[in-house]
């Protein structure tokens, strides 16, 4: 199973993936999976081969990179139901 963290278009998802690798996290850049000129940016999380404990440890390592990654995460605006 996979989870995608979308990133803003100006993000360098390959550089962010390399930064994650320095923390022993394998988060694949999404942009190489796109053909054509307009490539969406993001990080691809694979988690089906890991135990719950390993996933929790990975999330803790990812949290140490939040300052570097968070500027590239799009803001999510919740809409109130009317």
């Amino acid at each position: 199973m996979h989870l995608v963290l979308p990133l803003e278009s100006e993000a360098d998802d390959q550089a962010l993936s390399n930064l994650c690798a320095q923390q022993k996290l394998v988060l694949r850049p999404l942009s190489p999976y796109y053909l054509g000129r307009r490539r969406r940016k993001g990080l691809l999380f694979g988690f089906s081969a890991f135990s719950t404990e390993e996933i929790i440890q990975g999330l803790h390592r990812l949290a140490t990179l939040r300052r570097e990654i968070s500027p590239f995460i799009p803001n999510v605006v919740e809409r109130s139901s009317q």
Side-chain angles (χ1 to χ4, degrees):
M1 300 187 100
H2 292 87
L3 175 72
V4 172
L5 174 63
L7 299 172
E8 297 285 353
S9 60
E10 67 272 5
D12 183 343
D13 58 354
Q14 293 184 358
L16 291 173
S17 175
N18 292 336
L19 180 66
C20 291
Q22 294 173 10
Q23 293 294 323
K24 300 186 188 315
L25 294 168
V26 179
L27 301 178
R28 303 282 183 214
L30 188 62
S31 59
Y33 292 98
Y34 282 86
L35 296 176
R37 293 183 304 195
R38 187 167 182 239
R39 295 180 173 200
R40 294 190 59 190
K41 305 293 181 78
L43 294 173
L44 185 62
F45 294 68
F47 58 90
S48 62
F50 299 97
S51 69
T52 302
E53 178 68 24
E54 290 170 315
I55 293 170
I56 291 169
Q57 290 173 2
L59 290 172
H60 285 293
R61 287 195 301 267
L62 182 60
T64 66
L65 300 173
R66 70 178 170 260
R67 187 170 291 156
E68 290 86 355
I69 295 174
S70 62
F72 301 107
I73 299 174
N75 291 327
V76 177
V77 178
E78 292 185 30
R79 296 181 183 178
S80 60
S81 58
Q82 295 180 353

